[in-house]
Amino acid sequence: MEPVTIATARLRLRTVGPDDTDAVYAACQDPDIQRWTTMPSPYLPEHARNFTEHDVPEGWANRSMFTFGLFLPDGELAGMLGISMRSLGVGEIGFWLTRHHRGNGYMTEAARAVSRWSFVHQGIDRLEWRAEVGNTASRAVAESAGFTMEGTLRAALNNNGVRRDCWMGSLLPSDLGLPSTAPYLPARAPAT
C-alpha cells in the first residue's frame, strides 16, 4: 500500500522518510517522549534512521503499521502518530508530540482524522489506545478524541524491560457515526 496524506485544519499528516530522520532524532531526545513511550532509550541516530528508512515504509507496504508525521504549514515536525494492526479489524493507536507543540490540540486533531481514515479506508472496526498509568497527557488526548476508557491492564506494557500497568481505551466506528464492517452486538447491562 502506498502511504497517504491527510490534511486537517492546521496540520498535514504524511509519512516520514529519510529527509525527516534528523527531525525525528531531535524530537526523540525529549526525556518525556523516552519516558512515556516504548521507544529505545537512549534514542540514537541509528534508531531514527531505522525508523524513517525501514520501519515506516515497511509498515505501509505490508499494511501492518500506518505512520503519520504531524507537520505544521511551515513543514516543521510537531509529532508522530501511528496505527499498528493487532488483529483482523483491530488497530492500536500510539502518538507523541514535541515539547513546544503540546497543549495546542494538535494531537487530538490528528487522532480524530486518522481514526476516521482507518475506519473508512482500512476496514478497522476497533481502535485501541494504551498508555502507562500516570501518562495523563496521553489519556487526555484519547478522551478528547472520543475514546472510551475501558480499564487498567496489569503488567500489560513493557517499557525498556520493565512491566508496567496501563490504561486502555477504545474507539469504534459507531462512536463517530460510521458503519462497521461487521455487525456489533454490545453486551446488555444486567437487570437490577
Side-chain angles (χ1 to χ4, degrees):
M1 170 177 188
E2 289 296 315
V4 300
T5 298
I6 300 171
T8 69
R10 302 178 296 162
L11 300 167
R12 185 169 181 246
L13 310 174
R14 66 162 175 83
T15 193
V16 292
D19 292 344
D20 304 303
T21 301
D22 291 342
V24 169
Y25 172 74
C28 292
Q29 297 313 297
D30 179 347
D32 287 335
I33 292 175
Q34 290 187 29
R35 164 61 183 93
W36 293 110
T37 69
T38 57
M39 70 175 50
S41 181
Y43 194 79
L44 305 174
E46 53 264 31
H47 295 129
R49 194 168 33 261
N50 189 60
F51 178 71
T52 60
E53 295 179 14
H54 301 288
D55 295 345
V56 171
E58 186 176 301
W60 279 98
N62 65 24
R63 302 175 78 109
S64 64
M65 182 174 68
F66 308 109
T67 304
F68 295 88
L70 283 63
F71 291 90
L72 300 177
D74 66 3
E76 181 181 0
L77 176 67
M80 196 70 58
L81 182 150
I83 294 180
S84 300
M85 297 307 299
R86 295 293 174 225
S87 61
L88 183 63
V90 179
E92 181 178 334
I93 193 168
F95 45 79
W96 55 257
L97 272 174
T98 60
R99 179 177 302 281
H100 57 284
H101 290 301
R102 295 177 190 147
N104 295 316
Y106 290 142
M107 191 53 73
T108 299
E109 184 177 322
R112 287 177 181 157
V114 173
S115 295
R116 180 173 290 279
W117 170 83
S118 74
F119 294 144
V120 172
H121 298 287
Q122 295 306 308
I124 292 177
D125 283 327
R126 176 181 167 86
L127 268 181
E128 296 179 347
W129 161 88
R130 296 172 194 233
E132 184 179 331
V133 171
N135 190 346
T136 56
S138 183
R139 183 174 177 146
V141 167
E143 289 176 327
S144 293
F147 283 73
T148 297
M149 293 304 115
E150 295 182 338
T152 301
L153 304 175
R154 297 181 314 145
L157 189 78
N158 184 331
N159 190 339
N160 291 309
V162 177
R163 287 261 169 220
R164 300 172 188 264
D165 295 344
C166 72
W167 290 318
M168 182 172 181
S170 69
L171 186 69
L172 306 178
S174 58
D175 297 332
L176 302 180
L178 299 169
S180 294
T181 62
Y184 168 48
L185 182 61
R188 294 192 180 156
T192 55

